[in-house]
Amino acid sequence: MFLKTKLVKISRLLYFVLLFILPVNLGKHFEIVDSYVGGVLVDYLVPTVFVQDILVVLILLFWILSGGLKRLFCEKNLLERRYIQYSTLFVSSLFLSTLNSARFIPSIYAWLRLFLYFLLFIYSLVEIPIETYFFKILNIFSLSLLLVSILGIAQFVQKGSVFDNYLVFGEQPYSSATYGVPKESFFGKGVVPSYGLFRHPNIFGGYLSIVLVWIFSFLKNRKFYWIPFLFGCTALLFTFSKTSWAVFLFGVFLHLLFVKDPGKIKNRKKKAVFLVYFVVVLSLLLPLFSCLTDNDNKSISRRASLAGASYRMIEDNFLFGVGFNNSTIFIDKYNYAGTDLRFSQPVHNIFLLLFSEGGVFSLIFFALLIRECARNFINSSYFHIYLISFLQILLLGSFDHYFITIHQTLLLFWVVLGLGLQ
């Protein structure tokens, strides 16, 4: 009994370490033949073992050795909950899509990471009671956000990476002269956005926009949160991610709306969910809106052309998709309306991405999971910040792909569900 208790404590300690290092991008990359498309290396197809992956394996291992599986099956009605059933069907459907993939190794490897993080979601439900650990987890995220925000601000001042070495927390080397690095205008001067420890400023901004709302929600009662909040807001500004700015302000607005009159919070939650669903549906019509407006914005035109390519991909692979994590192999073939000669990126919409890669069944199970999660969040009487985070993820996922394709934000997605659905 003593040994099992020790193993449980170790697994929880590793879980808290995992949350603290969630932004880290350090990993071992394995470039294989299947990672190249037309002679060009596509990083989404490179199997990589990240530090977070190793930690998740260790957490689950210690949990199983402590008798975690027995406690899982003894958990009252856990396996009967619909969001457990739908999430299991969703993950299983994507496994079936790997069997249909043209590049099996990149596909099955991406699925294994998804499955690993899904198991962590189950672990969070069973072993991390949010009533007990809420503020401990919030403190961990606050300190982690503070450190990565300081790095982001330093990158903005230096106009490039600070450590300039992947081996230091996975910070990717870049400068204003690096090919593909976006340039922005700041008070009339050309500047380079902050990347933090992420692969793109938009991902850094998305992460900040979610965690900053958690901190904002408790600024009144915990004054020391002002330090990470102000640093985080500054770093968010320096990402120049307009979508992240908007989603952050939306999250702040929802928090203020929910606390204004607690008696009406359930009705307001329903309206917020409906509003986000409406935006999600509109995002699927981006190619049509782009044609109607004839927008010259390169970011919008790229997203529209990728969405159009995904619709054509779906038309040819409606039932089972092209295989999980395989869309970048075919996107250039279907993106004949694009303005770029080569832009091997996943479609910037997680719903279209899952539809094109996993087929209609994966999309249906994911949509059912989203609906069931929303219902539980609406009915929850506990902290409303997880509902806000959930809605922010849906909004960000409607205009980018990183909650499916990037390990840090994929992990954040399952952590939010694991902590919020208790």
Side-chain angles (χ1 to χ4, degrees):
M1 187 66 181
F2 174 77
L3 178 60
K4 288 186 177 180
T5 303
K6 273 289 186 184
L7 292 173
V8 169
K9 289 182 177 179
I10 292 173
S11 68
R12 285 179 179 169
L13 175 62
L14 291 176
Y15 182 85
F16 297 138
V17 172
L18 174 68
L19 298 185
F20 179 73
I21 68 163
L22 189 147
V24 169
N25 191 37
L26 187 62
K28 173 62 177 176
H29 298 70
F30 299 91
E31 294 182 12
I32 58 177
V33 174
D34 284 351
S35 303
Y36 289 84
V37 177
V40 177
L41 180 67
V42 178
D43 53 357
Y44 299 98
L45 302 176
V46 179
T48 307
V49 178
F50 291 103
V51 173
Q52 292 92 328
D53 302 339
I54 298 172
L55 268 178
V56 174
V57 169
L58 290 176
I59 291 167
L60 296 174
L61 177 61
F62 284 117
W63 179 53
I64 292 171
L65 292 176
S66 71
L69 292 180
K70 184 178 179 180
R71 293 194 298 277
L72 170 64
F73 290 107
C74 291
E75 187 78 12
K76 185 179 179 181
N77 298 326
L78 180 66
L79 300 180
E80 297 177 10
R81 299 176 191 175
R82 288 188 178 180
Y83 59 77
I84 295 291
Q85 297 170 356
Y86 290 143
S87 59
T88 302
L89 289 170
F90 165 63
V91 173
S92 300
S93 69
L94 286 177
F95 171 74
L96 295 177
S97 79
T98 66
L99 305 179
N100 188 50
S101 58
R103 306 278 179 90
F104 179 72
I105 293 179
S107 182
I108 193 63
Y109 195 85
W111 181 84
L112 286 172
R113 175 175 292 112
L114 174 72
F115 179 65
L116 197 62
Y117 293 177
F118 165 71
L119 293 179
L120 185 76
F121 157 67
I122 302 294
Y123 171 86
S124 301
L125 290 171
V126 176
E127 294 293 343
I128 310 294
I130 191 60
E131 295 91 345
T132 304
Y133 294 109
F134 178 82
F135 283 106
K136 183 173 184 176
I137 290 173
L138 188 57
N139 290 340
I140 290 170
F141 270 106
S142 299
L143 179 57
S144 178
L145 178 138
L146 173 62
L147 296 176
V148 76
S149 296
I150 291 173
L151 175 64
I153 295 169
Q155 289 171 342
F156 176 78
V157 172
Q158 190 162 307
K159 298 183 179 180
S161 53
V162 173
F163 298 103
D164 204 35
N165 193 325
Y166 273 115
L167 296 179
V168 183
F169 309 115
E171 184 199 32
Q172 67 177 28
Y174 74 98
S175 68
S176 59
T178 304
Y179 175 77
V181 170
K183 310 296 190 303
E184 302 287 347
S185 177
F186 188 67
F187 290 103
K189 295 183 179 180
V191 296
V192 178
S194 299
Y195 280 65
L197 294 175
F198 297 85
R199 287 163 57 179
H200 195 280
N202 287 345
I203 310 174
F204 186 24
Y207 167 81
L208 291 172
S209 68
I210 291 173
V211 181
L212 277 171
V213 174
W214 300 358
I215 300 173
F216 175 81
S217 301
F218 296 94
L219 282 178
K220 187 175 181 180
N221 299 323
R222 296 185 171 234
K223 303 298 183 182
F224 59 89
Y225 280 171
W226 275 103
I227 297 174
F229 181 74
L230 292 175
F231 274 91
C233 287
T234 305
L236 176 61
L237 174 65
F238 291 159
T239 65
F240 292 90
S241 174
K242 297 178 181 62
T243 304
S244 300
W245 295 348
V247 169
F248 166 65
L249 293 176
F250 177 73
V252 170
F253 170 76
L254 286 186
H255 168 71
L256 296 176
L257 185 68
F258 292 161
V259 299
K260 185 177 181 180
D261 187 351
K264 298 180 180 179
I265 187 173
K266 190 171 182 178
N267 186 46
R268 289 173 176 174
K269 285 180 178 180
K270 289 180 179 179
K271 290 181 179 179
V273 169
F274 176 80
L275 174 62
V276 171
Y277 281 178
F278 181 71
V279 174
V280 168
V281 172
L282 285 182
S283 73
L284 300 176
L285 304 177
L286 183 58
L288 176 61
F289 291 147
S290 180
C291 293
L292 292 176
T293 59
D294 192 28
N295 199 305
D296 292 329
N297 186 291
K298 199 168 187 179
S299 177
I300 294 177
S301 63
R302 280 178 172 173
R303 281 170 165 76
S305 61
L306 288 172
S310 291
Y311 280 119
R312 290 186 283 272
M313 198 181 300
I314 289 167
E315 186 178 0
D316 289 347
N317 304 272
F318 184 81
L319 290 178
F320 305 109
V322 297
F324 187 48
N325 194 36
N326 264 207
S327 63
T328 50
I329 301 168
F330 302 98
I331 197 71
D332 284 325
K333 171 186 173 182
Y334 287 96
N335 192 22
Y336 46 76
T339 57
D340 296 296
L341 293 177
R342 290 294 300 273
F343 193 67
S344 299
Q345 287 267 336
V347 60
H348 286 51
N349 181 294
I350 57 175
F351 301 95
L352 287 178
L353 179 64
L354 291 171
F355 198 173
S356 60
E357 293 190 341
V360 65
F361 301 109
S362 294
L363 178 65
I364 289 173
F365 292 139
F366 186 68
L368 290 172
L369 171 62
I370 294 302
R371 187 197 68 177
E372 195 61 31
C373 289
R375 287 176 58 185
N376 278 271
F377 282 127
I378 289 172
N379 294 322
S380 174
S381 58
Y382 203 56
F383 295 119
H384 58 257
I385 64 170
Y386 291 113
L387 170 63
I388 296 175
S389 299
F390 173 72
L391 297 179
Q392 286 179 299
I393 288 172
L394 293 185
L395 287 176
L396 291 167
S398 298
F399 300 98
D400 223 316
H401 55 77
Y402 51 78
F403 281 101
I404 297 296
T405 58
I406 303 298
H407 73 286
Q408 299 120 307
T409 37
L410 175 64
L411 180 58
L412 181 62
F413 169 74
W414 288 111
V415 165
V416 167
L417 294 191
L419 297 176
L421 290 173
Q422 297 185 25

